[in-house]
Amino acid sequence: MAHVASLLALLLLLVDGCALFAQSLPQRYRDAGEIRWGADAEGGAPFVFVDPNNPRGGEVGFEVDLATELGRVLGVRFRRAQVPYESLVQVLDRGDCDIVLNGFEATPARQALVRLSRPYYVFQQQLSVGAKSTDVRSLDDLVGKRVGVLGQSQSHQLLLERPGIEIVVYESNVTAYEDVVNGRNAASLADVPIARALRPMFPQLRDVGEPFGAYHYCLGIRRSEPELQRALDAAIGALLADGSLERIYRRWSLWTDAQRQLGDPAVANAYVDTAGSASPAGSGAFDWGMAMALLGEGALRTFGISVVSFALAVLLGMAVALWRLHGPRPLRWLAVVYVELLRGTPILVQMLLLYYGLGSIEWLQLGAVEAGVLGLALNYAAYEAEIYRGALLAIPRGQREAAMTLGFTTAQMLRHVVVPQALRLSLAPSTNDFIALFKDSSIVMVITVVELTKQYQMLANQSGRFIVLGLVTSGLYLAMSLPLAFLARRWERAMERDHA
Amino acid sequence: MISLRAVTKRFGERTLFGGFDLDLAPGKTTVLMGRSGSGKSTLLRLLNQLERHDAGTLRCGELEIPAGLPHGEWQRRTLQLRRRTAMVFQSYQLFPHLSVLDNVTLAPRVVRGAERSAIEAKARELLAQVGMAAAAERFPARLSGGEAQRVAIARALATDPEVLLLDEPTSALDPNSTADVVAVIADLKRRGMTLAMVTHDPDLGRSLADQLVELPRLRG
Ligand SMILES: Nc1ncnc2c1ncn2[C@@H]1O[C@H](COP(=O)(O)OP(=O)(O)O)[C@@H](O)[C@H]1O
Ligand SMILES: [Mg+2]
C-alpha cells in the first residue's frame, strides 16, 4: 500500500507540470538543487516553529508546508535558514539565504529594498489588550499609551503612521504580548495569524475590535533576480490554481474568504513593479535630518544609560570589594558568590531574567530603561569589585598600620586612607571598563530599549543605508569613548609619576 | 606610664620574649637596641598592639590590656591605647593622596572630630616645630626622606600622644637628613615628651637614652 502511494506521488510529481516551472528557475538554483528560505523560528507560530507539545516533530508551520509545495512545483529542495526577523532583508542581500518566506509583509520600506512575489496570503490586523483594560477599543484610543509591536512588521508600520502612540519595538511577538500581560504596555498590535497562534500562550489577553485591513504576505527576493521572482510567482499561481494553498490554509485553520482575492489580478500584480520603480539607496526619499536626529537621540540615551549604570556599578563594586576583604564571614561569602555568579553567566541572560523574569511579579516590575540600567550596573559591579579588590590589596600594609596607630577605627582607616588610594589606583582600569560599558550597553536592546545601536539597526533596516549610518553611529560611539580613553591614559601616567 | 609585665610574644613555635618587663618612665627616653631580628620592632609594636602579646599584661595608666581578651574588648581598649600613643615608622608611611598639611590634620579631624579650621593653626605650628612649615601644601611624593620623616613626626604629634614610639626613624636617611631628624627628636626630649625609640646607631642611642635596653640579653 505504501509503495502504491509513493508511486502515485512520484507520478503526480512528474505530471504536475513541475518540469515546466523548473525550466523557468534560474540555472544556479537548478544546479544547486535547493533554495534556502530565510525565516525566524523564534516565536514563529504559525509560520515556522517547533511545536512545544511535540518537540521531536521538528519544525512545522503553514510556511513549512508552503515551502514543501513550492519545492515540489519547482523541482528543488527548500531548505530553511535561521534568520532573525528584523534582519531578513540584510541577510537576503548578503546572500546567506535565497528568498525570504516568513510572514513577510509588503511594507513600503521593504518594497523599496527587495522584490516582492505575488501575495500568497491575505491577512488582517488584531489589537489585543490586557484582561483588566477597559479604555482601549481601537487604534484611536492608543494615543499617549505604550503599545508593543514586532519590529519592521506591518503592525509596526501601521503604528508609525499614527502620531502620538508610544511604540515599543520587540524582536518577537511573544515578548510583545508578555509585556501586555504584565502591564508594562497597554496593548499590542499583530497580524491575525500570529494573534491566533499565540493566543493559547496568553489566555489573559483580550482581543478588542474586529480584525481590520487587508495586507499581504509575499516572498522576498533580491532585487537583482527578476527570473527567480518570475519562477516563484508562477509557482504560487500554480499552487493557488490547483487548490494547494487552500488545502494548506485549511489544515492550519488559516483559511478566510479574503484568500479568494489572491487570484484577483490587482492583488496578484500589486508589487510587480515596486522593485523596479523604487530607486535604490540614494533617491532622496530618505530623510537624513530625521535619521540624524534619531541617532542623536539614541546616542543620548546610550550616554545616559552608560553613565548612570556605571556610577551604580562603581558604588556597588566598591561595597562588594570591601565586604569581601573586610566584612564579616557571611558577607564575605556573599561577595564571592556575587562576583562569580555575575561574571560567570551571560549578561544577556541576566537582562532577560531581570526584565521578563521579574516582570511577571507585579511589585518587582521594572521599566525597560530601569531594568537595563540595573542589569548593566549589577553585571559591571562584579568586574569593578575585582578591580577594587586588587587595588585595595595593593595598598601597603604600612599605610593601614599608620592609620591604626593614629587611633582610627577600621572603618575610618578604610574610608580616609585605603579607599581613596585604591580608587586612584583603579581609575585607569575602571575607566577602561567604562569605555567597554558604552559599547556593551547596546545589550539593553533585547529588552526593548531603543539606544544608539538599536536605532541604527532600525534606520538601516528601513533604508538599507548600512554603511553611511554605520559610520555615523560609530562616530557617535567614538565621540563618547575617545575622551575617556584619553583621560584613562593621562591618569595612568599620573599614577606612574606619583609612585615612581 | 606604659609598662609591660611578664609579657610573652610567640611567632608560631618561636618565643621572642618570655615574661618580659618594661617601663617607659614619663618624660624619659627609652632606647631599644640590638641585632637585626632580635625583636626590637616587635617590642615597640607590642606597646601599641600592632602585635598582640600571648601572655602577660600591658598597662597604660589605668588602662589594662591583659593577654587573651575577647576580640571586641581588645579592640575597644586598643583604640584607647592608640589614641594615647603615636608611632613613627622607618619608612615614614605618609598618606600619598593627602598634602602635608592634610596628613597632619587628618587624625585630629577623623578621630576627635575637630574642625579643619581649628586644627589647621596647630598643624602649621607643629610643621614649624619640625622645620617643615614651608612644605604645608606639598604632596609626600615631592619630599626628601628627611623631610618626609619630619612631617611624619608632626603627624604623630598632632594627636597629642602621651608617648611617641619611633622605629628606626633615621635608618633610611642620608647623614644630613639624619641630623635634621635627630635634632627634632632631641627637641622633643627637651620638651619632656615620653619617647621609645629603636635604633641600630649606638652613638645616637647613647646620646638620647635615659634608659637603654639591649635586646639580645633579654631574650627569654
Ligand atoms: N609577623 C611575624 N610572623 C613571624 N615572625 C615574625 C613576624 N614579625 C617578626 N617576626 C620575627 O620576629 C623576629 C624579630 O623581628 P623584629 O621585631 O622585626 O626584629 P628587629 O626589629 O629587631 O629587626 C624576627 O626573627 C622576625 O623574623
Ligand atoms: Mg625592626
Side-chain angles (χ1 to χ4, degrees):
Chain A
M1 198 59 207
H3 289 289
V4 179
S6 52
L7 197 66
L8 211 65
L10 193 67
L11 273 173
L12 273 174
L13 201 76
L14 288 173
V15 299
D16 214 285
C18 69
L20 195 128
F21 294 114
Q23 289 295 312
S24 66
L25 198 62
Q27 187 64 42
R28 54 178 281 223
Y29 294 108
R30 276 185 278 163
D31 289 348
E34 69 170 16
I35 286 178
R36 295 164 303 162
W37 55 289
D40 191 349
E42 185 197 327
F47 307 97
V48 46
F49 61 104
V50 175
D51 185 351
N53 299 319
N54 182 20
R56 283 153 169 269
E59 289 176 354
V60 294
F62 84 89
E63 289 185 342
V64 175
D65 295 351
L66 178 59
T68 308
E69 289 296 300
L70 287 170
R72 178 179 63 80
V73 170
L74 290 169
V76 291
R77 200 165 72 90
F78 266 55
R79 183 161 67 82
R80 193 181 76 83
Q82 171 61 26
V83 181
Y85 180 81
E86 289 182 275
S87 306
L88 285 167
V89 171
Q90 302 85 271
V91 172
L92 177 69
D93 268 340
R94 276 176 44 83
D96 292 340
C97 62
D98 301 315
I99 62 168
V100 171
L101 165 52
N102 193 22
F104 196 62
E105 301 125 322
T107 60
R110 287 169 176 164
Q111 292 175 35
L113 294 173
V114 296
R115 293 179 173 278
L116 293 170
S117 72
R118 66 178 288 177
Y120 61 82
Y121 189 78
V122 180
F123 67 93
Q124 295 187 293
Q125 292 288 308
Q126 178 65 58
L127 187 63
S128 309
V129 298
K132 280 176 269 173
S133 164
T134 52
D135 55 344
V136 174
R137 261 167 240 94
S138 72
L139 292 191
D140 299 328
D141 303 323
L142 294 177
V143 173
K145 293 199 160 63
R146 286 168 59 93
V147 183
V149 281
L150 179 65
Q152 315 295 319
S153 65
Q154 182 69 56
S155 315
H156 189 187
Q157 178 65 33
L158 281 170
L159 292 187
L160 284 172
E161 289 163 7
R162 290 171 161 262
I165 299 175
E166 191 181 337
I167 305 171
V168 188
V169 176
Y170 291 80
E171 288 172 21
S172 148
N173 286 96
V174 173
T175 42
Y177 279 144
E178 193 87 50
D179 270 356
V180 178
V181 170
N182 62 37
R184 282 198 182 99
N185 295 340
S188 178
L189 185 66
D191 301 351
V192 167
I194 298 171
R196 299 268 186 279
L198 295 182
R199 185 44 36 88
M201 272 176 79
F202 299 100
Q204 312 94 315
L205 291 183
R206 202 161 51 78
D207 291 342
V208 290
E210 287 301 306
F212 61 91
Y215 309 96
H216 302 142
Y217 289 146
C218 303
L219 305 179
I221 302 122
R222 274 183 288 272
R223 206 185 275 123
S224 57
E225 300 194 66
E227 302 86 359
L228 179 60
Q229 173 174 8
R230 275 195 291 280
L232 290 164
D233 281 347
I236 292 169
L239 294 178
L240 180 64
D242 73 0
S244 300
L245 283 187
E246 182 170 347
R247 220 171 38 245
I248 293 171
Y249 298 154
R250 283 194 189 281
R251 181 173 342 136
W252 287 94
S253 308
L254 287 166
W255 178 258
T256 60
D257 283 342
Q259 307 312 321
R260 301 195 195 286
Q261 300 165 19
L262 289 172
D264 184 339
V267 172
N269 297 322
Y271 310 110
V272 170
D273 295 328
T274 51
S277 66
S279 52
S283 68
F286 186 64
D287 185 345
W288 283 103
M290 174 69 106
M292 293 304 127
L294 286 172
L295 284 180
E297 224 171 78
L300 275 181
R301 180 157 284 183
T302 287
F303 186 79
I305 288 173
S306 304
V307 168
V308 175
S309 50
F310 195 70
L312 291 174
V314 165
L315 292 176
L316 181 58
M318 183 49 89
V320 169
L322 287 171
W323 291 341
R324 176 144 182 195
L325 291 177
H326 297 280
R329 187 147 304 164
L331 219 47
R332 249 181 255 188
W333 286 343
L334 200 69
V336 173
V337 169
Y338 179 85
V339 168
E340 296 313 328
L341 202 66
L342 277 114
R343 290 197 311 177
T345 58
I347 186 169
L348 179 63
V349 174
Q350 295 165 15
M351 278 291 171
L352 293 174
L353 269 175
L354 207 57
Y355 186 70
Y356 292 111
L358 293 188
S360 52
I361 310 166
E362 199 163 341
W363 55 274
L364 279 178
Q365 197 178 98
L366 293 168
V369 173
E370 288 89 337
V373 166
L374 189 62
L376 285 168
L378 290 176
N379 184 270
Y380 266 73
Y383 292 91
E384 295 316 292
E386 284 302 281
I387 291 181
Y388 300 145
R389 189 168 70 96
L392 288 167
L393 289 173
I395 306 305
R397 199 175 67 152
Q399 287 283 303
R400 294 161 199 263
E401 290 185 347
M404 297 314 264
T405 60
L406 290 168
F408 287 33
T409 62
T410 303
Q412 289 168 339
M413 176 265 288
L414 291 173
R415 156 84 182 74
H416 294 284
V417 174
V418 176
V419 170
Q421 293 187 58
L423 279 178
R424 299 168 100 227
L425 278 183
S426 11
L427 211 46
S430 205
T431 308
N432 286 327
D433 267 6
F434 193 18
I435 293 168
L437 174 65
F438 268 103
K439 290 171 289 171
D440 280 1
S441 68
S442 63
I443 189 105
V444 300
M445 76 168 76
V446 301
I447 56 171
T448 77
V449 179
V450 181
E451 40 63 74
L452 183 51
T453 298
K454 182 67 183 183
Q455 191 61 260
Y456 160 65
Q457 209 183 47
M458 295 200 303
L459 286 168
N461 276 335
Q462 286 157 22
S463 66
R465 289 168 168 82
F466 283 92
I467 295 175
V468 179
L469 291 173
L471 289 174
V472 173
T473 303
S474 304
L476 286 167
Y477 273 111
L478 281 175
M480 292 185 252
S481 63
L482 279 183
L484 283 172
F486 174 75
L487 275 181
R489 212 148 320 127
R490 254 182 63 161
W491 282 327
E492 235 158 44
R493 276 200 301 269
M495 210 56 66
E496 276 161 19
R497 261 203 322 272
D498 281 4
H499 290 262
Chain B
M1 169 143 305
I2 291 196
S3 60
L4 299 178
R5 282 290 168 274
V7 160
T8 298
K9 174 65 189 170
R10 295 192 197 92
F11 286 120
E13 293 295 286
R14 189 164 163 217
T15 301
L16 215 48
F17 312 108
F20 188 85
D21 293 328
L22 178 71
D23 288 280
L24 303 186
K28 300 292 182 194
T29 297
T30 304
V31 172
L32 308 173
M33 294 188 58
R35 281 187 295 111
S36 174
S38 59
K40 305 180 295 292
S41 295
T42 304
L43 187 55
L44 206 63
R45 291 158 61 86
L46 279 169
L47 293 171
N48 61 11
Q49 293 288 289
L50 284 181
E51 303 286 354
R52 283 186 76 169
H53 46 294
D54 298 292
T57 299
L58 179 151
R59 276 200 200 87
C60 178
E62 75 295 349
L63 183 68
E64 199 163 326
I65 304 182
L69 280 179
H71 185 74
E73 185 56 24
W74 172 80
Q75 247 183 343
R76 204 180 59 75
R77 295 190 194 184
T78 296
L79 202 59
Q80 289 181 36
L81 173 68
R82 287 177 181 162
R83 287 177 181 180
R84 297 164 65 165
T85 60
M87 191 168 211
V88 172
F89 300 82
Q90 179 179 344
S91 52
Y92 334 127
Q93 299 297 346
L94 292 180
F95 304 131
H97 60 299
L98 299 177
S99 71
V100 163
L101 186 64
D102 288 341
N103 261 277
V104 179
T105 58
L106 182 68
R109 275 189 287 136
V110 170
V111 173
R112 291 208 308 263
E115 278 299 316
R116 192 194 190 83
S117 51
I119 185 68
E120 200 178 303
K122 188 190 162 197
R124 288 188 189 278
E125 224 168 88
L126 284 170
L127 284 172
Q129 187 184 327
V130 300
M132 292 298 295
E137 320 304 332
R138 278 155 70 188
F139 277 79
R142 299 273 177 276
L143 302 177
S144 74
E147 292 172 327
Q149 195 59 296
R150 283 182 281 153
V151 172
I153 292 173
R155 178 180 70 177
L157 296 175
T159 59
D160 289 324
E162 297 165 25
V163 179
L164 185 61
L165 311 170
L166 305 106
D167 192 355
E168 306 209 28
T170 59
S171 296
L173 303 179
D174 62 65
N176 282 338
S177 301
T178 299
D180 292 342
V181 171
V182 167
V184 167
I185 297 171
D187 179 53
L188 287 176
K189 177 180 160 71
R190 233 181 351 266
R191 291 165 185 246
M193 184 88 200
T194 308
L195 302 173
M197 180 172 78
V198 170
T199 180
H200 60 238
D201 178 345
D203 295 335
L204 174 61
R206 276 183 216 103
S207 71
L208 288 174
D210 297 307
Q211 175 184 213
L212 194 66
V213 180
E214 285 277 357
L215 270 192
R217 278 191 278 131
L218 294 161
R219 285 180 67 175

